[in-house]
Amino acid sequence: MPIMARGYLTKRGDSWRVVVDAGTDPITGKRRQLTKTVRGTKREAEAAKAAMLTQVAEGRAVRTGATLGELLEAWYLANAAEWSPRTALENRRIINAVIVPALGSRKLAKLRTADIDAFYGRARAGEFGGGKPLAASTVRKYHAVLRSAL
């Protein structure tokens, strides 16, 4: 279902501030807005607003401000009822003891493949296993949780 976005203009000195409502963040539940400053005429600002409204309507311009930790928590709560108690317990352990301390504070918009690859390398080296290198199967479990949540 497309988002019915709205927007407005505000005159700020010799420029225009364009604000477009982009709905709520599905992870955090917070209101999202896109903003842009246009140095030019009101007509140029109106054109920028129309372009931003189109981006929102097509779902191309909206990013979440959530962190990986918030995403993992939302994913866990949405799916835990479907898992066996043992799977739910193991996934909670992996999230709380391994992934969140290592990557949980990273904003999803800034999370890169290199960050995840470095996390896997640190896990294989034993940073999360009490100093002992971890088996490939253990790192695969970490990967399965991350992949499912993302």
Side-chain angles (χ1 to χ4, degrees), residues 32-96:
R32 294 186 292 192
Q33 289 185 325
L34 302 176
T35 60
K36 183 175 185 175
T37 300
V38 177
R39 299 193 193 304
T41 65
K42 184 175 182 178
R43 180 172 284 177
E44 292 170 334
E46 289 284 354
K49 182 177 91 170
M52 291 167 65
L53 287 169
T54 301
Q55 287 178 335
V56 170
E58 294 174 352
R60 294 185 290 125
V62 182
R63 286 190 174 178
T64 182
T67 63
L68 179 60
E70 291 169 331
L71 172 74
L72 287 166
E73 186 64 23
W75 170 78
Y76 181 86
L77 293 175
N79 294 291
E82 300 171 14
W83 300 326
S84 72
R86 186 175 174 106
T87 299
L89 187 64
E90 180 63 9
N91 285 344
R92 175 55 75 192
R93 185 194 68 77
I94 289 170
I95 290 168
N96 290 347

Side-chain angles (χ1 to χ4, degrees), residues 5 17 20 67 86 111 131 133 135:
R17 181 173 185 234
V20 172
T67 63
R86 186 175 174 106
L111 185 65

